[in-house]
């Protein structure tokens, strides 16, 4: 049975590739999912890829991942900067967690510089564009292989 990785995306990431390409690039979230499926196959991983605009749904999915996932890749989007609920849910997850941001949040407005999720994340990838998701999967494969 392949290791299962939940890839969870927060609010407005459904707009990826459709607005603000100078910040987020031209690839859509469907493109990101396709790239992640291909990368996961290469690494022998199975992915569950989801997006929601609702904080409670992210919390529910993280709780689901607690039982069902071997690792979590999460782009919490704006909830990174506001949500203790998402941090608490991730703190209850025993598996590796990697936080991904398409843009470099540290080179943007000061309110984006702090992420609650980073307090729990085993690694944080920011500013690599959508390639950040693929780097996260590669790191997850390394971490799970060394277990
Ligand atoms: O850089 C990232 O991946 C972010 O997580 C994206 C969030 C932002 O709030 C974070 O600070 C950094 C925004 C989600 C995407 O929002 C879009 C809005 C318009 C057009 C395209 C995407």
């Amino acid at each position: 049975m392949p290791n299962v990785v939940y890839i969870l995306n927060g609010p407005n990431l459904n707009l990826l590739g459709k607005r603000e390409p100078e910040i987020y690039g031209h690839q859509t979230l469907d493109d990101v999912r396709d790239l992640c499926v291909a990368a996961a196959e290469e690494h022998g991983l199975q992915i569950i890829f989801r997006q929601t605009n609702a904080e409670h749904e992210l919390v529910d999915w993280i709780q689901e991942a607690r039982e069902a996932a071997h690792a979590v890749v999460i782009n919490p989007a704006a909830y990174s900067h506001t949500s203790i609920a998402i941090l608490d849910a991730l703190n209850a997850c025993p598996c590796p967690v990697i936080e991904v941001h398409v843009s470099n949040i540290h080179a943007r407005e000061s309110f984006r510089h702090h992420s609650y999720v980073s307090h729990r994340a085993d690694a944080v990838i920011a500013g690599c564009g959508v390639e950040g998701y693929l780097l996260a999967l590669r790191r997850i494969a390394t971490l799970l292989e060394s277990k």
Side-chain angles (χ1 to χ4, degrees):
M1 289 287 280
N3 285 319
V4 176
V5 183
Y6 273 48
I7 304 179
L8 303 179
N9 294 283
N12 296 308
L13 284 164
N14 53 311
L15 298 177
L16 216 57
K18 298 174 182 167
R19 302 267 159 75
E20 302 188 57
E22 66 287 359
I23 299 175
Y24 299 112
H26 290 279
Q27 280 164 302
T28 66
L29 198 62
D30 283 347
D31 295 332
V32 177
R33 190 197 52 228
D34 291 348
L35 290 167
C36 287
V37 168
E41 259 174 40
E42 278 177 31
H43 295 304
L45 302 168
Q46 183 190 329
I47 62 163
I48 307 285
F49 191 98
R50 296 182 187 159
Q51 187 274 332
T52 180
N53 291 329
E55 184 177 21
H56 70 90
E57 199 155 30
L58 275 176
V59 169
D60 287 345
W61 290 346
I62 294 163
Q63 288 189 12
E64 183 185 310
R66 186 171 166 264
E67 307 286 337
H70 297 88
V72 172
V73 173
I74 184 164
N75 183 344
Y79 290 139
S80 317
H81 318 302
T82 62
S83 179
I84 296 170
I86 289 172
L87 172 62
D88 285 345
L90 288 168
N91 276 335
C93 260
C95 65
V97 173
I98 300 191
E99 177 183 359
V100 171
H101 295 284
V102 175
S103 64
N104 180 0
I105 55 175
H106 302 289
R108 299 183 63 191
E109 304 95 323
S110 58
F111 59 81
R112 296 186 202 274
H113 295 179
H114 176 262
S115 164
Y116 285 100
V117 169
S118 298
H119 290 256
R120 163 62 183 90
D122 296 287
V124 182
I125 299 168
C128 296
V130 301
E131 191 183 350
Y133 290 83
L134 310 182
L135 296 171
L137 284 173
R138 184 166 144 187
R139 178 66 182 155
I140 293 291
T142 303
L143 290 173
L144 294 179
E145 272 161 24
S146 68
K147 271 186 80 179

